[in-house]
Every structure is written in structure tokens, then in C-alpha cells.
Amino acid sequence: MDVLSRPAEEFANDETLERLWAAKAMEHSDIYFNMLCSVDTRWLQLTPHDDLIYTHFKQDFPDLDVTYINENEIKNSVNKAKWRIFCEKFKNIIEDYSFGTLMRADTKGDYSEQNTMLVPRVQFYAIEIARNRESMNNEVKKLYKCTAKPTIETQEHAAKIAT
């Protein structure tokens, strides 16, 4: 039996696993934000399948303004179902297509608690590819001086030393 088809109640949250996921998600967001600060995003390629993702995204969500993504809007019952269908198109194409990924709501903001949401990886790709191709992410390098942010482990280590 496929483990993913089993009832969620059978699984407990593993704190170590959650911290590792959070560290990986933060590292991904840090690397991506630094890329936005470093290159002309119109030419940035996130996957070998960017053209396919962008084409399907524009077909399935032609009126979605990606400058600012309202989390409640994309996660309401109607849109959540549309996004699920969209994501499933890439199940056998994009590795870790459903992996939780941090995404900025507003293209003019950085990754902060107020401007970050959790989305499936292919949804992140779809929105960010559109933002890049439509030059919306080029504002980042004008607004921010990007530098590497400390990882969770670094922050925890610093907190231990301070106490």
C-alpha cells in the first residue's frame, strides 16, 4: 500500500523533520531571492520545463495578477481545486512538484513573515516564471541589497552561545 494513501491520523509530526524542512525551505528562498538581486530575471530559467509551465499557467489562470498574490484568493475552495488540477499536470515532470515552498506575496517585498506563504513547488514555479518573464521581479535588485541570511541552524547556534 502506498504510504501517501494512508490516513493522516496514522502519522505524528516529527519535530526534527519539520525543522529540516523549514531549514531547506528557508535556504531555497534565500538562494532564490539572491538570484533575483543578481540577474535580469527575464532570462532566468528555474526548470528545464519553464516554457511548458508558463504556457499551462497562462491558459489555466489568464487573469491572475502575479504582482501581488492574495493567499486567501488562491487558497479558497474554488481556486484551490483549480490549482490542484494544475499541479497534478506536472506530477511526472517536475521533481518534488508538490513539495512545500515559500513564496513572496508581493513582488516588491522580500521574504518576511508578512509577505511569505507556503505553496506547492510547481505553483511557486508557475507564478515566479510569470513574474520573471514579465519583468516584475527585476524591481527586487533596485529595492534590496541581497546577502545570505543565516540558516535556522546558525540562528539556533547563535542563540545557544548567547545563553
Side-chain angles (χ1 to χ4, degrees):
M1 176 186 253
D2 182 16
V3 71
L4 297 177
S5 65
R6 300 179 63 133
E9 299 80 37
E10 291 184 18
F11 302 96
N13 289 342
D14 180 339
E15 188 177 312
T16 304
L17 186 60
E18 287 180 5
R19 286 185 21 200
L20 289 172
W21 172 84
K24 186 169 178 74
M26 287 177 62
E27 179 182 22
H28 176 268
S29 65
D30 187 35
I31 291 168
Y32 183 65
F33 196 73
N34 280 306
M35 283 187 347
L36 294 180
C37 292
S38 304
V39 301
D40 182 340
T41 62
R42 290 175 298 169
W43 312 114
L44 186 60
Q45 179 130 2
L46 300 182
T47 78
H49 308 286
D50 283 12
D51 291 338
L52 180 66
I53 295 169
Y54 186 70
T55 299
H56 280 279
F57 172 68
K58 288 311 230 180
Q59 288 171 352
D60 294 357
F61 302 95
D63 300 322
L64 183 63
D65 179 8
V66 295
T67 306
Y68 178 83
I69 301 295
N70 180 323
E71 186 170 14
N72 295 326
E73 211 172 286
I74 66 168
K75 292 186 178 183
N76 67 34
S77 59
V78 172
N79 286 328
K80 192 173 187 177
K82 285 176 69 175
W83 275 108
R84 187 175 299 115
I85 293 167
F86 175 85
C87 292
E88 287 300 310
K89 291 178 185 180
F90 298 96
K91 183 176 187 174
N92 297 317
I93 299 171
I94 303 295
E95 185 177 345
D96 297 329
Y97 78 105
S98 64
F99 189 79
T101 305
L102 300 175
M103 183 179 76
R104 296 170 304 127
D106 187 348
T107 57
K108 292 183 175 85
D110 66 350
Y111 282 94
S112 66
E113 188 174 340
Q114 301 78 21
N115 195 43
T116 303
M117 65 184 79
L118 180 64
V119 298
R121 170 87 26 105
V122 76
Q123 186 177 30
F124 165 86
Y125 285 148
I127 291 169
E128 290 298 326
I129 290 166
R131 287 173 168 178
N132 290 338
R133 290 187 175 192
E134 297 164 20
S135 297
M136 294 174 195
N137 276 334
N138 276 333
E139 295 298 309
V140 168
K141 64 179 147 276
K142 296 175 188 172
L143 299 171
Y144 296 94
K145 181 179 179 183
C146 296
T147 57
K149 297 175 188 170
T151 63
I152 287 177
E153 290 86 8
T154 306
Q155 292 170 354
E156 289 175 351
H157 180 69
K160 286 178 185 174
I161 293 172
T163 55

